[in-house]
Amino acid sequence: MATTNKNDDGFNWAFALKEAAFAAIITAGLSFPILALRTDMDISNKLILNQRWSWLIVAAVLVFVGRLAVLSYAARPKSTRAASTAPQSDSSKFIAKWISAVGLLALFLFPIVVTSALGGQGALKWINNYGVQIMIYIMLGWGLNIVVGLAGLLDLGYVAFYAVGAYAYALLSTHYGLSFWICLPLAGILAATWGVILGFPVLRLRGDYLAIVTLAFGEIIRIVLINWVDFSGGYAGVSSIPRITFFGLPFNDNVGSFSNFFGLTYSPIHRTIFLFYLILCLALLTNYVTMRLRRLPVGRAWEALREDEIACRSLGINTTSTKLTAFALGAMFAGFAGSFFAVRQGFVSPESFTFLESATILAIVVLGGMGSQIGVAIAAVVLIGGTELLRELEWTKQIFGQDFDPAQYRSLIFGAAMVIMMIWKPRGIVSTREPSIFLKEKKSVSGDLVAEGHG
Amino acid sequence: MEVFLQQLINGLTLGSIYGLIAIGYTMVFGIIGMVNFAHGDVFMLSSFIGLIIYVAITQLLGLSSPMFAFLLALAASMVLTSLWNWSIERVAYRPLRGSFRLAPLISAIGMSIFLSNFVQVVQGPRSKSINGILSGTFNFGADGGFGVSLPYSSIVIFFVTVILLAIFWYIVQRTPLGRAQRACEQDRKMASLLGIDVDATISITFVMGAALAAVAGCLYLLKYGSVNFADGFLPGVKAFTAAVLGGIGSLPGAVIGGLLIGLIEVFWSYYISTDYKDVAAFSILAVTLIFLPSGILGRPEVEKV
Amino acid sequence: MLSVSNPLLVVEHLTMRFGGLIAVNDLSFSVGRGDITALIGPNGAGKTTVFNCVTGFYKPTEGRLALARSGIAAAQDVADLTQSGAQHKQMPSGDIYLLERMPDFRIAHKAKVARTFQNIRLFQGMTVLENLIIAQHNPLMVASGFSILGVLGIGGYKASEQQAVEKAKSWLERIGLIDRADDPAGELPYGAQRRLEIARAMCTDPVLLCLDEPAAGLNPKESLELNTLLRSIRADHSTSVLLIEHDMSVVMGISDHVVVLDYGTKIADGTPSEVRNDPKVIAAYLGVDDGDEMNPAHGGAK
Ligand SMILES: Nc1ncnc2c1ncn2[C@@H]1O[C@H](COP(=O)(O)OP(=O)(O)OP(=O)(O)O)[C@@H](O)[C@H]1O
Ligand SMILES: [Mg+2]
């Protein structure tokens, strides 16, 4: 299908139409029973079939148009394509530098701008659903980036450490009344310890096997959380977890609260804004530590490990402990993020820590471009912001009728987007690698040379 | 003793289904070295296709023999699921062949998420059940008290598995197609230089894997009488465990692994804890990969320096 | 067997089996301190396997590999250490390591054996300079307080890193790659990659440098440069060299001692001129028929 016709006159319509028609026929065949015949239970609990052949036609037409669009995109003139893959020029390096500075400033101003523009109620949704939510995933992405992007270790069970952090705060605070500020480091340490315990036996496995074992560990932790009711509350989880305080000052309407202390009128948005700054600082801490470590021997050893483990061993690098530090550090940041999650929600349950979460975080890292901090941040904004935006599609009910629930399509679109983005940019958004040290001139390394690790 | 025999029957039935799914994992991993993450969902999809066709045949066309209708649905599901897997390989994996190693894995995970949610959206989130297609049982042992019951469906499942395994074994070992597959496993570049159509061989591998998954999907329906859009993930992981346990790349290994996983799961549920039965499967997966990465029948992999 | 007066490494009865295949069969030889020792033999003779045993990548099926970082190991001391079950001990006669007991990275780190690979293993996606800095991982790790002080910005890490860069620079000058320090290693031409791999190994300050076919794929000019580099390594550093090579101009030109393997068994061991005229060696290389020039039967580079 992908063989482009070598026709100099540009787009070959006959070929493209044939291709698109072929794809449409296949689609019709694929959707024949599953799309056109819907099974429903009738009152006597018997399965009946509802026929809806129009769906099949819609799917075929959509694929026909889509295939034509892809083919015409692929056949666009060579010159534009060359421009898009040109090496990074000086000006674009300059821009990249400014993007991070401006982005950082924008992040710090974000709550203030949104609140003054939309007022308390309107801003709440933006800061919470977009600001805080995306920042959590940026932080998780940066944490996992240490493991997958730098050290090249494929981890499909990262969410387990997020869960450890969340339950650590939830249980320590509800049972022992420990405050968030004490639990936060404890959660990190606990998660890192789990990282070492789980990492030790599995780190000598190669690529895909490591991925599957980490997936298994992630699932085991979730199943234990579900079934060990005395410990974790089972499916019901842990609720009424103490809320965040401003270093001891609670966010409420009473005497001695944050607003009371600072002489403000109470508004629920104070807490949200504080949460936003808190996760922003946690994420920036993750970023700072990672950037710093990349320039230290251990960080260089991680990247060397990703490039060639055997060569590392021949240079006297203890690969086991190097991998373990990456694993433990990644786990620690997930632990921090987890306890933040618990204090934000006030409620944790195993449902928040499914495999889908791990897959989402991994997708953010890979889509961002392995090892690139800014790429990961962009990918988190695109993927998480994008799925959040789908919530805003209530108006589509006007077109498709009241039964239509756009939220249903979120995961569907998310899955399809993962596939499409991989095909479009298999190496991620930022595919070049910045060297950690240079003599005269810092030149980024093309992604084609950078290995992706094998363990 | 009766209980033990009964669990043995249940375990072998379940294990046959896992084994059939595992073959798909093993063949794809063998030929392109990729964990086809979406395979569990392909299995679930095939079960839905089988269900819909079965209902269509019995209700719309009014065929009265349930067993005959089931066999027709099975055949149709095999064809359609193969078409699905062929398309999935074409769209989501082939463009990524030879590129960055993680890309196909992420693509497969995306495909898995897509498939289960696709089925949820188009068929609804509730489990779909049909009452017994084949409900009779043989009963042995103590009259009145606990006997051993051998459902007809278990017999069908067991025989279908054995026959299909024999056919596939023959194809892989004795036909030019199988030789081409093994050549591609060894060295894809060399195989293509020798005139083997590598793309076609890989496509056929996906088609074969899907056909077996479809058989597993329909047998699953026969055994449990119900299917849900989320039923792909766990059987998928367990079947992958089976493939690893048996030695990835080995067809009989996949079936032996499947039977073992089925037996372990059933006995674990009965004698230890139902709640933690999935932990058993996951632990076996971890322990096998750590201590016996080449599985029971696989060839050990040496690191050449 | 050539008697070596001051051996650095003594290999005794080394045997390596892969299933039924005996890749190395009861091999014994010594590597003299300060010498260049060449290990030659036709393709598949087991040379790389010997290297993998010496550097710990394979666990030998049988045999002892005793390396004395200093001193001249007395046979009694080596026997005592073997008895004691330890990997390493400072013995009266020298600082002795039993390599067959040590994992690969410890051999590189503690016993100070560095190596290159038959098919180059550089960190392709990292720059030339980074490759040389990573080779100095262990001392830098200590200097950065195992990264903890480094993250906090305490301690003298900056100065140590600067030292490491200086060392890298001096090697880059010697191998003529100083102008390419900031380019990715994967972009270098083949010959330069070979030299860089040697420089990287040298940055670990080895006492023994094992080179697996360093001249493979080099043109005659590069081959000569390599000779000069190896000689200067021997002259300027207290590094001994163990060399696998098919290119006889390199082997005969620079080595002090040649060991010849065929089908895993040693067939000759002596000075270059002794080995050159050994009929068994000529037979192994050229078949039983005679020939006046020694050439590897099946070519070196793969
Ligand atoms: N890991 C391994 N597993 C099985 N067999 C091996 C392994 N490593 C080497 N061999 C076998 O051992 C024998 C010796 O191989 P080795 O690589 O040591 O030869 P060599 O002398 O280095 O040859 P060349 O000149 O081609 O590099 C070969 O038959 C090879 O196939
Ligand atoms: Mg060799």
Side-chain angles (χ1 to χ4, degrees), chain A residues 342-392:
Chain A
V343 80
R344 174 201 183 208
Q345 305 291 92
F347 163 71
V348 292
S349 78
E351 221 155 284
S352 308
F353 308 105
T354 56
F355 169 68
L356 186 64
E357 286 303 300
S358 288
T360 307
I361 305 166
L362 183 66
I364 287 174
V365 173
V366 175
L367 179 68
M370 302 229 311
S372 161
Q373 298 288 94
I374 189 85
V376 168
I378 296 172
V381 172
V382 171
L383 275 184
I384 304 303
T387 41
E388 286 296 316
L389 271 180
L390 289 175
R391 280 188 209 277
E392 310 281 318

Side-chain angles (χ1 to χ4, degrees), chain B residues 120-183:
Chain B
Q120 179 189 14
V121 166
V122 300
Q123 293 291 331
R126 291 178 56 190
S127 291
K128 305 286 152 113
S129 48
I130 35 173
N131 349 23
I133 303 166
L134 183 64
S135 47
T137 55
F138 285 118
N139 283 305
F140 306 98
D143 27 355
F146 277 123
V148 179
S149 68
L150 176 60
Y152 295 158
S153 59
S154 291
I155 304 176
V156 172
I157 290 173
F158 208 69
F159 274 100
V160 170
T161 307
V162 170
I163 292 167
L164 278 171
L165 183 68
I167 294 173
F168 272 74
W169 176 247
Y170 177 81
I171 292 176
V172 170
Q173 290 297 319
R174 291 286 139 84
T175 61
L177 168 65
R179 267 195 295 282
Q181 276 177 330
R182 275 175 291 143

Side-chain angles (χ1 to χ4, degrees), chain C residues 166-222:
Chain C
E166 289 306 322
K167 184 164 166 186
K169 266 162 81 177
S170 77
W171 274 105
L172 287 177
E173 262 151 22
R174 282 178 77 166
I175 61 173
L177 288 178
I178 188 76
D179 293 330
R180 306 214 55 180
D182 296 323
D183 290 335
E187 274 179 8
L188 296 180
Y190 190 80
Q193 293 199 11
R194 283 258 174 234
R195 274 176 287 150
L196 178 60
E197 206 190 13
I198 297 173
R200 185 181 68 180
M202 284 307 294
C203 277
T204 64
D205 290 328
V207 294
L208 177 63
L209 175 66
C210 302
L211 303 173
D212 198 342
E213 303 197 15
L218 300 191
N219 62 36
K221 181 172 157 278
E222 287 173 326

Side-chain angles (χ1 to χ4, degrees), chain B residues 3-277:
Chain B
V3 170
F4 180 83
L5 272 180
Q6 186 66 61
Q7 299 304 337
L8 193 69
I9 291 170
N10 295 347
L12 289 177
T13 317
L14 184 63
S16 304
I17 292 176
Y18 288 155
L20 286 171
I21 310 174
I23 292 177
Y25 278 110
T26 256
M27 291 205 305
V28 167
F29 193 94
I31 201 160
I32 53 174
M34 162 195 170
V35 179
N36 181 11
F37 221 91
H39 195 64
D41 296 279
V42 169
F43 152 78
M44 176 276 299
L45 181 75
S46 76
S47 193
F48 260 95
I49 294 177
L51 174 95
I52 295 170
I53 300 215
Y54 178 79
V55 176
I57 292 174
T58 49
Q59 291 182 6
L60 298 183
L61 304 182
L63 197 78
S64 56
S65 154
M67 204 52 219
F68 186 55
F70 176 77
L71 287 179
L72 280 181
L74 173 69
S77 175
M78 284 174 78
V79 172
L80 287 167
T81 311
S82 300
L83 186 62
W84 266 98
N85 219 20
W86 179 84
S87 314
I88 290 172
E89 194 271 332
R90 262 299 171 64
V91 171
Y93 308 149
R94 189 177 295 180
L96 295 172
R97 197 172 302 148
S99 96
F100 194 50
R101 182 180 57 86
L102 277 182
L105 184 74
I106 301 288
S107 187
I109 293 174
M111 201 29 106
S112 154
I113 296 172
F114 173 83
L115 283 178
S116 60
N117 284 284
F118 173 74
V119 172
Q120 179 189 14
V121 166
V122 300
Q123 293 291 331
R126 291 178 56 190
S127 291
K128 305 286 152 113
S129 48
I130 35 173
N131 349 23
I133 303 166
L134 183 64
S135 47
T137 55
F138 285 118
N139 283 305
F140 306 98
D143 27 355
F146 277 123
V148 179
S149 68
L150 176 60
Y152 295 158
S153 59
S154 291
I155 304 176
V156 172
I157 290 173
F158 208 69
F159 274 100
V160 170
T161 307
V162 170
I163 292 167
L164 278 171
L165 183 68
I167 294 173
F168 272 74
W169 176 247
Y170 177 81
I171 292 176
V172 170
Q173 290 297 319
R174 291 286 139 84
T175 61
L177 168 65
R179 267 195 295 282
Q181 276 177 330
R182 275 175 291 143
C184 292
E185 268 175 45
Q186 293 279 320
D187 188 336
R188 229 182 294 156
K189 208 178 262 164
M190 198 62 207
S192 84
L193 287 177
L194 293 176
I196 292 172
D197 186 341
V198 174
D199 279 346
T201 310
I202 293 174
S203 279
I204 291 172
T205 308
F206 272 83
V207 163
M208 286 166 73
L212 288 176
V215 175
C218 293
L219 295 179
Y220 183 84
L221 213 56
L222 192 66
K223 179 169 159 61
Y224 294 103
S226 109
V227 60
N228 180 272
F229 76 95
D231 282 351
F233 181 68
L234 269 182
V237 176
K238 286 176 189 163
F240 179 76
T241 309
V244 169
L245 185 63
I248 203 138
S250 152
L251 276 186
V255 175
I256 292 172
L259 293 177
L260 276 174
I261 296 286
L263 286 171
I264 290 169
E265 181 173 332
V266 164
F267 281 104
W268 181 293
S269 305
Y270 190 82
Y271 291 105
I272 300 175
S273 151
T274 321
D275 289 340
Y276 288 99
K277 71 173 197 287

Side-chain angles (χ1 to χ4, degrees), chain C residues 44 47-49 118 212-213 244 302:
Chain C
K47 306 177 295 291
T48 301
T49 306
Q118 187 163 357
D212 198 342
E213 303 197 15
I244 295 178
K302 281 198 284 195

